[in-house]
Amino acid sequence: MQEPLLGAEGPDYDTFPERPPPSPGDRARVGARQNKRVFLATFAAVLGNFSFGYALVYTSPVIPALEHSLDPDLHLTKSQASWFGSVFTLGAAAGGLSAMILNDLLGRKLSIMFSAVPSAAGYALMAGAHGLWMLLLGRTLTGFAGGLTAACIPVYVSEIAPPGVRGALGATPQLMAVFGSLSLYTLGKYGPALPCAGWWEWRVLLRETWLERK
């Protein structure tokens, strides 16, 4: 009587061959390589939080320059300046609500990548603004991107981080948001002394000079 295949012995019937456990050195090399990739992915992701912190306090140095602008298209009253500063929160609320759908529809990674589109469009509108509506729309778009990243990035980081570094990497989104705000305040204070930093101040000065000559 022929024996069943499951009972047969030999390499031909060894469905789950036993493998020797990896050495501590191999485990350390594999772990280090995986951690490097995780750190790189986390750094790329939390740049969105840096942009969010930067955009959150963006109006701090910009509003005084616009309130004293001689250009009628860019001069803001107190009421208009208040709208310019606060409309960001409306966009952030819309971005946070959209993250509830986009997180499941696109996934966390693609949602973070998608947030770069409204962020770039918002800054482009504010950089080339010729009226209040462009300033408000640009501010709303940057708020939408900030709300989207604030909801997606912590989830993404917690999912890709190994247990050993999950706590440390989980704190990076908030830290990057703080660094973004700090960098904007620094540029606002020392911007006029730096040729490439206080671009709003330089733009206002150039347009005022052009209007005076005209």
Side-chain angles (χ1 to χ4, degrees), residues 9-65:
E9 297 181 357
D12 296 336
Y13 301 103
D14 196 357
T15 307
F16 302 102
E18 295 184 0
R19 297 179 180 178
S23 63
D26 293 337
R27 288 196 298 266
R29 285 192 294 270
V30 173
R33 185 165 59 250
Q34 291 178 347
N35 284 342
K36 288 181 180 179
R37 294 179 179 178
V38 170
F39 293 154
L40 181 60
T42 301
F43 176 75
V46 297
L47 289 177
N49 289 103
F50 182 90
S51 178
F52 173 62
Y54 187 94
L56 184 64
V57 298
Y58 178 77
T59 55
S60 178
V62 172
I63 285 181

Side-chain angles (χ1 to χ4, degrees), residues 126-153:
M126 289 188 290
H130 295 286
L132 177 62
W133 71 272
M134 296 181 69
L135 293 174
L136 296 180
L137 180 58
R139 186 76 173 143
T140 304
L141 288 175
T142 55
F144 179 88
L148 184 59
T149 55
C152 296
I153 293 176

Side-chain angles (χ1 to χ4, degrees), residues 88-107:
F88 178 88
T89 56
L90 298 179
L97 293 175
S98 299
M100 299 172 61
I101 301 175
L102 294 178
N103 267 341
D104 295 328
L105 185 63
L106 300 179

